[in-house]
Amino acid sequence: MIQAFGLTSNPRQELPPAVDDVSFEAPTGRVTALLGARASGKTTAVRLMLELQQGRGITHFRGRPLHRIPHPSQEVGVLLGEVQGHPSRTVRGQLRMLCAAAGVPVQRADEVLEVVGIVSLREQRLGTLSRGMDRRLGLACALLADPHTLVLDGPADGLSAREGKWLHGILRAHASLGGTVLFTTDDAKEAARTADRVVTLEEGHVIADQCVADFSRTRLRPRVAVRSPHAARLGVLLAKEARATQRSVEVVNEGGNRLSVYGSNCADIGETAFRHSILVHQLADEVGDAGPAVSVPARTRAEEVRAAEPTVPQPAVADASSATDAPLPVLEPSEETAAPSALARAHARSAQEPPQSTGTFVSLPVDADLGGASSSASAPAPAPPSDEQGTQASRTPSGPASAPPPASLSPLPPPITTHPAPSPLRPLRYEVRRATGIATGYLTAAAVLVASAIVAVLLARTGRTPQAHLLAAWPQELPLPPAALGAGLLGAFAFGDEFRHPALAADRGTVPRRLGLLCAKLAVAAAIAVSLAFLVVASDAVLLHLVYGEELTKLPADWLSTSASWLALVVGCAWAGVLAAGVFRSTTAGLAAVLAVPILVVPLVQKALEGPSVRTAAGLPSRLRDLALVHWPFGAERVLAAGLRMIAQPVGSALMLSLTALLCAYLLTVLRPRAR
């Protein structure tokens, strides 16, 4: 069950809040529709429920707010807009990546693909999906962790009638299995066909909370659609017979040869047309949308009523195509919401503001009400409530007379704080699938290999480059080789690409900067960088052997320490890209941080190290050997000394300083929100 209490958005400068004191319930095993016109506050209410937007109020999902649920995706499945994912990622790859984030077996991806009927599109790219297929994939993402509750914002928007019917069948099946479904819509007929309960919003307030039967009775108007080449004549005859028989019939000319007749049926209209020899092309029962009432100041409405009284002897009925003539729904005690202030406003509005007429009509009905459900001009008295309803009515105010004064209202609801998405339950598996699911990384690695091979051949032609720099394709004139720059760019993709296409946090805001996720990204980035470093050296060696012979491919004497320095440089650049992209949330910023090391930081380090050297680190390996009780295995002291010598170099020192600064900044961005 979903229980929303006092949802209120923050004021927007001089405008009122988009949502004000919205309270309702979505029961378990039922489909609940949140109905309202555009800009009525439906999306804002959903975002407040999911803690994606700051405001006031609280929402319980089976008795717990969302931030109290350890794994929200396993409790609430969300569909907000289009699927957030990289356009070149496949449908199956997207779901498999989300399986690792939600902590469910990878086989679940194939299961939900069968449920939503897009198994044949599992290798399709996200950027090529149609609107209907994108909605199916979004529903598959919401169902991936088998949640109890589904919250969907406009799931059928832009879908065909066939796709919408299929989607509503899925929602009904989920509710029949004991789940809770809440979806938003601006189509009253869709809400009546699909939902068991309809909560109507208007200008950010709840004006009705009804079961679907009462909603259809009070908000929808049955009509007969008529097509005839003599539509105007038929309309006049129907209006004349209605006045003669004292029946409440409204005839609305829809333009051309179309009529909409309210308060009659196909048989009576067909007999009238037959008696007067009028050709009829269509007679069909339909359900028209009365639509939400338009909010007009009470004083203006009262002035219009007083001005219309001398000239209009009886109430006029507006055009059915207008969305301004709908009566406010009858709120029985058992159907009221939990928001006293919203109820008081709705009852006060219904008691003080009579319905108005703004449309054109063919005939005036006799003693007709707006809904066309009763032939009496006065509203029928409500039936006496049952014991249970009477008890609830005694607890909940049902009119303006019983509304509590402002001083006795309950205190403000608690503030809503936006919470980022939780870290993946399987971060390493998630990161591997994220990094290998798109072609960007492969294309970057291929470009690095080609650039390194060209640079190595050109350096070998000059004959002035040392052997180690030649194999790494590192000109002495450049501060970093192509492999280091490529590793930094691949590291920047780890966060920058994810912020642009947030797959992890498709329903919970921005991608979190958590330490567990960071460790996984650093590990995967290091593995990719090491693989790229080996591929560059191997491809350069093979190419140099083919072009110039064996003399340029011999290993140097200190190959072990040189290899360690080479790997440390590439991995350091990759980590710098990861941390910078995580701090600044941009791939460009990650690559800029890598380039800033040789361009900005290295000159500063060189300037700091300038001057006479009084002491050196000569004899460091022997002193390290003396510190240990046993001898270092495999000459590890030489590797350590080589690492220290690399750090002592300007590029190594600058890289270490950059990594330290970026890591501190990343930790600050993680710990500061927690401290707040």
Side-chain angles (χ1 to χ4, degrees), residues 3 35 43 64 233 246 255 312 416 450:
Q3 297 171 307
L35 174 66
T43 301
R64 293 180 296 174
R233 180 187 172 200
Q246 298 289 316
V312 181
I416 298 176
V450 172

Side-chain angles (χ1 to χ4, degrees), residues 130-331:
S130 63
R131 176 70 173 179
M133 296 302 103
D134 183 86
R135 283 298 181 182
R136 288 179 180 245
L137 177 58
L139 187 58
C141 296
L143 295 172
L144 194 61
D146 194 16
H148 175 270
T149 304
L150 290 180
V151 178
L152 307 100
D153 184 22
D157 292 348
L159 298 185
S160 63
R162 179 174 174 270
E163 290 285 346
K165 184 177 180 180
W166 171 88
L167 177 64
H168 297 150
I170 291 290
L171 301 184
R172 175 62 59 189
H174 184 81
S176 64
L177 295 176
T180 303
V181 178
L182 173 69
F183 73 97
T184 67
T185 180
D186 55 3
D187 188 353
K189 290 183 285 186
E190 177 189 358
R193 289 192 303 264
T194 308
D196 301 307
R197 194 163 194 86
V198 181
V199 180
T200 307
L201 291 182
E202 180 182 345
E203 294 186 351
H205 302 285
V206 175
I207 63 171
D209 188 351
Q210 307 166 284
C211 65
V212 68
D214 293 334
F215 170 78
S216 300
R217 174 172 53 84
T218 58
R219 303 291 293 180
L220 299 181
R221 307 175 63 192
R223 67 186 179 189
V224 178
V226 183
R227 287 182 181 271
S228 171
H230 309 286
R233 180 187 172 200
L234 179 60
V236 173
L237 293 173
L238 292 175
K240 181 179 179 180
E241 291 187 0
R243 287 193 296 267
T245 58
Q246 298 289 316
R247 290 188 297 115
S248 174
V249 176
E250 177 190 359
V251 181
V252 179
N253 191 344
E254 301 289 355
N257 60 350
R258 297 175 62 248
L259 295 177
S260 292
V261 183
Y262 298 88
S264 184
N265 53 59
C266 292
D268 294 342
I269 297 173
E271 291 177 0
T272 301
F274 177 77
R275 287 195 303 268
H276 296 86
S277 302
I278 296 178
L279 177 64
V280 176
H281 291 162
Q282 179 190 15
L283 281 176
D285 290 320
E286 293 183 353
V287 175
D289 180 12
V294 175
S295 295
V296 178
R299 184 173 59 183
T300 304
R301 286 189 174 184
E303 293 174 355
E304 292 178 358
V305 172
R306 287 195 296 269
E309 282 178 355
T311 58
V312 181
Q314 50 186 336
V317 178
D319 187 356
S321 61
S322 173
T324 63
D325 62 345
L328 287 170
V330 180
L331 292 179

Side-chain angles (χ1 to χ4, degrees), residues 356-533:
Q356 296 300 304
S357 172
T358 58
T360 59
F361 52 89
V362 176
S363 64
L364 295 177
V366 180
D367 297 334
D369 62 352
L370 287 177
S374 173
S375 60
S376 176
S378 60
S386 60
D387 295 340
E388 181 180 357
Q389 294 175 344
T391 304
Q392 184 174 358
S394 64
R395 293 194 302 264
T396 307
S398 59
S402 60
S408 63
L409 290 177
S410 59
L412 289 175
I416 298 176
T417 304
T418 58
H419 297 276
S423 294
L425 295 182
R426 300 172 182 174
L428 188 60
R429 191 175 304 177
Y430 164 82
E431 181 60 23
V432 170
R433 291 173 181 166
R434 186 209 61 80
T436 59
I438 57 178
T440 305
Y442 301 106
L443 295 177
T444 303
V448 169
L449 292 176
V450 172
S452 299
I454 295 175
V455 172
V457 172
L458 295 178
L459 291 178
R461 185 179 181 86
T462 60
R464 297 190 302 268
T465 305
Q467 182 72 12
H469 281 238
L470 185 61
L471 292 176
W474 188 356
Q476 295 180 351
E477 295 79 8
L478 296 180
L480 287 178
L485 295 177
L489 181 58
L490 291 176
F493 285 146
F495 264 126
D497 179 73
E498 194 168 29
F499 281 116
R500 288 188 290 113
H501 307 287
L504 173 62
D507 56 347
R508 298 286 295 116
T510 57
V511 179
R513 293 183 280 202
R514 302 290 179 85
L515 296 182
L517 183 61
L518 173 64
C519 294
K521 289 183 178 296
L522 291 178
V524 173
I528 294 176
V530 170
S531 302
L532 182 62

Side-chain angles (χ1 to χ4, degrees), residues 10-185:
N10 292 332
R12 302 164 295 172
Q13 297 180 353
E14 298 181 356
L15 299 176
V19 171
D20 187 9
D21 197 14
V22 170
S23 301
F24 63 91
E25 289 186 358
T28 302
R30 297 290 185 267
V31 178
T32 304
L34 196 59
L35 174 66
R38 296 187 181 275
S40 61
K42 305 185 302 295
T43 301
T44 303
V46 169
R47 293 183 63 84
L48 290 172
M49 293 170 56
L50 298 175
E51 299 177 356
L52 298 177
Q53 181 173 330
Q54 292 184 350
R56 305 197 72 88
I58 189 171
T59 303
H60 286 168
F61 297 90
R62 289 203 291 182
R64 293 180 296 174
L66 198 63
H67 63 272
R68 297 285 185 180
I69 301 176
H71 307 300
S73 61
Q74 298 181 1
E75 176 66 28
V76 183
V78 179
L79 174 58
L80 300 177
E82 297 180 353
V83 175
Q84 299 294 324
H86 197 284
S88 64
R89 197 181 303 277
T90 63
V91 170
R92 189 182 184 190
Q94 177 82 1
L95 292 176
R96 289 169 67 91
M97 179 179 61
L98 294 181
C99 284
V104 298
V106 70
Q107 294 80 9
R108 179 65 179 167
D110 296 326
E111 294 177 3
V112 295
L113 285 176
E114 293 182 1
V115 170
V116 300
I118 54 175
V119 178
S120 59
L121 301 179
R122 58 180 177 268
E123 300 302 328
Q124 194 83 8
R125 306 291 178 180
L126 298 186
T128 62
L129 294 179
S130 63
R131 176 70 173 179
M133 296 302 103
D134 183 86
R135 283 298 181 182
R136 288 179 180 245
L137 177 58
L139 187 58
C141 296
L143 295 172
L144 194 61
D146 194 16
H148 175 270
T149 304
L150 290 180
V151 178
L152 307 100
D153 184 22
D157 292 348
L159 298 185
S160 63
R162 179 174 174 270
E163 290 285 346
K165 184 177 180 180
W166 171 88
L167 177 64
H168 297 150
I170 291 290
L171 301 184
R172 175 62 59 189
H174 184 81
S176 64
L177 295 176
T180 303
V181 178
L182 173 69
F183 73 97
T184 67
T185 180

Side-chain angles (χ1 to χ4, degrees), residues 581-657:
V583 171
F584 300 106
R585 304 195 176 196
S586 171
T587 304
T588 306
L591 183 59
V594 176
L595 295 176
V597 172
I599 297 175
L600 299 178
V601 185
V602 170
L604 295 177
V605 173
Q606 288 177 341
K607 189 173 183 179
L609 296 178
E610 287 179 355
S613 179
V614 179
R615 293 183 176 89
T616 62
L620 179 61
S622 60
R623 289 193 294 272
L624 291 176
R625 190 184 304 111
D626 295 338
L627 291 177
L629 298 178
V630 296
H631 291 289
W632 292 61
F634 306 108
E637 71 278 1
R638 293 194 299 271
V639 177
L640 181 59
L644 294 176
R645 284 196 301 269
M646 177 185 174
I647 295 176
Q649 295 176 359
V651 175
S653 301
L655 190 58
M656 287 296 298
L657 289 175

